[in-house]
Amino acid sequence: MAAGTASAPALDQRRRPPAKTPFFARRRTRDLTLIWLFLLPSLVIFALYRIIPLGWNVLLSLEFWSPYKPARFAGLYHYQEMLFYDDAFWKVFWNTIIFMASAPVGIALALGVALLVNTRVPGRGVYRTIVFMSYPVMTVAVGIIWQWLYNEKVGLINYALISLGVINRGIPFLQDFDLALPAVILASIWQVIGFYMIILLTGLQSIPPNLYEAASIDGASAAQSFWRITLPLIRPSLFLCFVVGIINSFTAFDLIFVMTGGGPGHATDLLVTYIYSSAFKLSKFDYAAAMTVANFLLFLGLAFVANRLAGGEAGAIKRGA
Amino acid sequence: MRWRWLRNRFVVTFGGAALLTAVWNVYIAYHDDGIIAGQVVGPDGAAVSGATVRLSEKTLLVSQTRGQTTTDADGRFEFKGHRMHRLYLEADKDGVGRYGPREYRLYFNGENLVLGKPLQLSAPGAS
Amino acid sequence: MVKRQHWPIHLALGIISALMLVPFYWVLKTSLTGENIFVYPPAILPQDPNPFYFVDVWYAIPFLRYLINSVIVSVIVVVANVFFNAMAGYALTRDFPGKAATIMLFLSCMMIPFQVTIIPAYLITAKLGLLNSYFGMALPLMSTIVCIFVFKAAFEAIPKSLVEAARIDGVPDWMIVFRIIMPLTKPAIATNIILAFIWSWNSFLWPLVVVRDVDMQTLPLGLSRFLSVVEDTTGALYAFCVMVLVPGLVIFLLAQKEFITGLTSGATKG
């Protein structure tokens, strides 16, 4: 009853014929208000957690800042320290580059798997699920599993290598300065390979099959049609995989935090873990902000290069949206 | 039609898990009086009265003695009201021998444990 | 195409699957048998499996507390995601001044990994007084650009005439979204739910930064904390690991289709 009487005036207004143009105008503003109201929550969240932080990072990197003192302008002090005086930064920077550069290895493996799964093999859905299953699991748990596999004495990997006669005593992979980073990268590839595969599968399935038929009529070998048809046509997917791989160097935080904590020394520290420990363990927020800016520029630069390599247009991103 | 939602795979999985949890908890509620009962026998298999039985707890965090009792004329002993899931039993009697400490692991804290096999003392130095 | 023999492909895929599954198997085995680090070689098959490591863990840590924290944060994130993304997605199907700019803004936000915003994000959350709270943990994840575009695509697939008819009938906009459009976009909602759930369920860095209280820790935090407490090779750590993995895996396996659609549409759409 109450609802009925409340809405009655509104109905009345709507049906009043002479007020047509003003009503239309009102309707338009009301629509616009609603649209912006609908956008508001998302915009607020992105503003708070993406856009403002980006600017604040730059600001913070130019200041001497600590939680209890007023900030002072520092100019490029932190950048100077980062580039010229902090050896750890360069070590960590190169680690990050190596980590990102390992993405193509994972992508190549994933492409192999995707090509196999893309055949008309019965049970391919099961294989796809199994390969993909490592992606959605909790990265912290993945870290624990892998540091257990790498265990010096009873780790499965050492056991397998010894049994195969590759080595004759266990290697403490995660405590070794040279092997720790590759070991972590392997774990990371294991986790993300399923995601690459899914992206590449979507690319492969969008290739019209008659292209292959035409090629085989023209006498092209399987290798030729792979290099001439498959690879060029899945270039957007490959680009996307590469972006995922680069972003993976950020999400690898969980893995590294659990497996090695960045150690030994800085052997497995990536920028993201080094930033975390500088900011939240050493309370050097200003310095960490400067490194964050460097990290972001590195990311944008690589994404740009990858984009150019993928054919100059932003691949699927532009077309899809 | 009205009950179709029950066959949804999410409902089946999570409902099933909830049901199992409920059943398990009911089972626990009826079996958590914390009773440990058993019998101590000598090397010859005869009941030993007056033997000291010690109960100690071990978890990931603690390891300490939780109780001590002596066996009655039939060699039987009983602890009540324990709240453990990983415990050690140890028995000894001067001049007869000792047993343990041996580990017993339970499925939940305070699970009733009635030992089917008696604790058999062995002469010192025999093992 | 020529029908080829299947067994080489099965063989290759079988080996790959085995390699992918071995880590899961190994952690499950260790959680059931423990591992004696002084015995070599390690047993490949579980010997004398028992569930007692699970019992140990259950009583050694506040597992239920972690689980409830994780569930609360995930529920906040999922509900907020469905509502906010649907609203934003619907708004983007309409014409309004600044639409192109908004879409550009969203797309460029996607190029900002959350990890590079962590320091100011922490300071902002501290200013808002949300440190150490469920809401603070959930807030950054409450709207996802990928899912906004998933909703946008789903809404655009709905015939315009249906919406127009409703609007001419004077149905208010919010009612159009929640009573007419949403029921027609169930797949998009499912995708959104599963993506938001997995992301919030697995998120580690943000809770690590925001949470101070042991009582507020989520499962991944509890797991990493437990690792630092029992730094050894006890089976209990791996039992905990399995207990943490199972809920996520079960939900993934149940909602695999929606999850993969979401990821791939996110991947191709935007």
Side-chain angles (χ1 to χ4, degrees), chain C residues 93-165:
Chain C
T93 59
R94 305 280 305 272
D95 280 325
F96 61 96
K99 178 179 169 180
T102 313
I103 290 180
M104 266 316 288
L105 184 78
F106 281 158
L107 286 178
S108 39
C109 275
M110 230 161 68
M111 292 302 278
I112 308 175
F114 180 65
Q115 283 84 353
V116 308
T117 65
I118 201 88
I119 296 166
Y122 168 78
L123 297 175
I124 289 170
T125 315
K127 282 234 160 68
L128 294 174
L130 292 175
L131 289 185
N132 227 345
S133 71
Y134 294 127
F135 194 66
M137 273 189 265
L139 190 57
L141 297 169
M142 277 198 195
S143 181
T144 328
I145 299 154
V146 168
C147 296
I148 291 179
F149 286 108
V150 168
F151 266 119
K152 178 172 176 269
F155 290 146
E156 273 165 354
I158 293 174
K160 273 261 184 315
S161 53
L162 201 65
V163 178
E164 286 307 318

Side-chain angles (χ1 to χ4, degrees), chain A residues 62-82:
Chain A
L62 299 173
E63 286 175 343
F64 293 111
W65 191 93
S66 83
Y68 307 108
K69 276 185 291 183
R72 281 189 301 120
F73 184 67
L76 294 175
Y77 177 86
H78 296 301
Y79 291 97
Q80 271 174 349
E81 185 186 343
M82 177 174 88

Side-chain angles (χ1 to χ4, degrees), chain B residues 9-10 13-14 28 58-61 85-86 105-110, chain C residues 50-53 55-57 59-60 226 234 236 250-251 254-255 258:
Chain B
R9 60 196 195 280
F10 290 95
T13 312
F14 292 108
I28 288 177
K58 185 170 184 299
T59 65
L60 292 175
L61 308 170
H85 61 273
R86 187 174 178 183
R105 303 184 84 169
L106 308 178
Y107 292 101
F108 49 89
N109 271 359
Chain C
N50 61 68
F52 293 118
Y53 287 110
V55 180
D56 282 352
V57 167
Y59 290 111
F226 192 61
T234 167
V250 165
I251 289 178
L254 287 176
E258 286 80 6

Side-chain angles (χ1 to χ4, degrees), chain B residues 32-49:
Chain B
D32 71 340
D33 310 310
I35 295 167
I36 299 172
Q39 194 190 16
V40 177
V41 297
D44 52 356
V48 176
S49 68

Side-chain angles (χ1 to χ4, degrees), chain C:
Chain C
M1 250 188 144
V2 195
K3 185 162 161 49
R4 270 175 288 167
Q5 287 276 313
H6 278 153
W7 69 264
I9 298 175
H10 274 299
L11 185 69
L13 282 174
I15 292 172
I16 293 165
S17 305
L19 286 177
M20 295 304 286
L21 285 178
V22 157
F24 287 117
Y25 166 73
W26 198 246
V27 74
L28 186 65
K29 191 216 88 171
T30 312
S31 73
L32 289 174
T33 63
E35 191 73 66
N36 188 340
I37 58 163
F38 302 108
V39 175
Y40 185 90
I44 296 297
L45 292 174
Q47 282 164 353
D48 187 21
N50 61 68
F52 293 118
Y53 287 110
F54 290 88
V55 180
D56 282 352
V57 167
W58 180 264
Y59 290 111
I61 53 159
F63 183 82
L64 264 185
R65 183 80 219 180
Y66 295 151
L67 186 71
I68 289 169
N69 289 343
S70 265
V71 168
I72 290 176
V73 173
S74 295
V75 166
I76 298 177
V77 167
V78 166
V79 171
N81 255 290
V82 170
F83 277 80
F84 294 169
N85 295 343
M87 280 155 60
Y90 172 73
L92 289 184
T93 59
R94 305 280 305 272
D95 280 325
F96 61 96
K99 178 179 169 180
T102 313
I103 290 180
M104 266 316 288
L105 184 78
F106 281 158
L107 286 178
S108 39
C109 275
M110 230 161 68
M111 292 302 278
I112 308 175
F114 180 65
Q115 283 84 353
V116 308
T117 65
I118 201 88
I119 296 166
Y122 168 78
L123 297 175
I124 289 170
T125 315
K127 282 234 160 68
L128 294 174
L130 292 175
L131 289 185
N132 227 345
S133 71
Y134 294 127
F135 194 66
M137 273 189 265
L139 190 57
L141 297 169
M142 277 198 195
S143 181
T144 328
I145 299 154
V146 168
C147 296
I148 291 179
F149 286 108
V150 168
F151 266 119
K152 178 172 176 269
F155 290 146
E156 273 165 354
I158 293 174
K160 273 261 184 315
S161 53
L162 201 65
V163 178
E164 286 307 318
R167 192 170 294 133
I168 286 164
D169 281 353
V171 182
D173 270 275
W174 60 271
M175 207 119 124
I176 291 180
V177 172
F178 291 115
R179 300 295 293 279
I180 298 175
I181 295 178
M182 295 271 276
L184 287 172
T185 49
K186 268 185 192 152
I189 298 171
T191 299
N192 203 325
I193 290 176
I194 179 78
L195 280 181
F197 171 78
I198 295 275
W199 281 331
S200 84
W201 186 258
N202 292 346
S203 83
F204 174 66
L205 174 57
W206 182 242
L208 182 70
V209 167
V210 171
V211 172
R212 285 293 135 81
D213 234 342
V214 179
D215 274 353
M216 295 296 289
Q217 285 185 330
T218 53
L219 278 174
L221 287 183
L223 187 55
S224 93
R225 195 175 122 87
F226 192 61
L227 173 69
S228 63
V229 173
V230 294
E231 190 97 54
D232 67 357
T233 45
T234 167
L237 176 61
Y238 305 99
F240 190 6
C241 222
V242 170
M243 286 158 81
V244 169
L245 283 179
V246 163
L249 270 182
V250 165
I251 289 178
F252 160 69
L253 289 176
L254 287 176
Q256 201 201 147
K257 207 182 80 205
E258 286 80 6
F259 187 61
I260 290 179
T261 337
L263 280 182
T264 49
S265 64
T268 47
K269 293 261 165 41

Side-chain angles (χ1 to χ4, degrees), chain A residues 118-298:
Chain A
N118 197 35
T119 51
R120 292 213 191 88
V121 153
R124 57 187 184 275
V126 177
Y127 291 125
R128 193 190 61 181
T129 304
I130 291 174
V131 174
F132 186 63
M133 206 162 71
S134 56
Y135 179 71
V137 304
M138 197 180 284
T139 316
V140 176
V142 171
I144 290 180
I145 296 174
W146 277 82
Q147 61 113 28
W148 180 227
L149 290 174
Y150 281 128
N151 184 289
E152 182 187 353
K153 294 203 180 68
V154 287
L156 187 64
I157 290 174
N158 270 315
Y159 175 57
L161 288 177
I162 292 173
S163 306
L164 292 173
V166 181
I167 51 176
N168 48 22
R169 50 177 304 190
I171 301 173
F173 284 100
L174 296 177
Q175 284 80 46
D176 188 295
F177 278 89
D178 296 324
L179 292 174
L181 188 61
V184 172
I185 287 175
L186 182 65
S188 154
I189 287 179
W190 176 80
Q191 188 178 18
V192 82
I193 194 169
F195 190 21
Y196 292 149
M197 179 199 67
I198 292 290
I199 296 175
L200 292 171
L201 264 181
T202 329
L204 288 174
Q205 277 157 4
S206 67
I207 300 176
N210 51 13
L211 275 184
Y212 291 110
E213 276 159 33
S216 70
I217 288 168
D218 286 349
S221 69
Q224 274 173 331
S225 45
F226 173 74
W227 288 105
R228 295 285 171 75
I229 299 173
T230 313
L231 266 192
L233 283 179
I234 58 166
R235 206 144 75 169
S237 305
L238 286 173
F239 163 71
L240 213 68
C241 283
F242 190 67
V243 172
V244 169
I246 300 174
I247 291 180
N248 195 35
S249 74
F250 293 101
T251 45
F253 175 87
D254 308 8
L255 204 60
I256 290 168
F257 186 88
V258 170
M259 282 177 80
T260 63
H266 288 289
T268 55
D269 250 343
L270 298 189
L271 278 169
V272 62
T273 53
Y274 192 51
I275 288 167
Y276 170 82
S277 50
S278 302
F280 296 101
K281 287 196 180 131
L282 306 176
S283 289
K284 291 186 343 195
F285 283 88
D286 39 11
Y287 183 54
M291 287 194 291
T292 306
V293 173
N295 195 7
F296 186 55
L297 290 179
L298 177 68

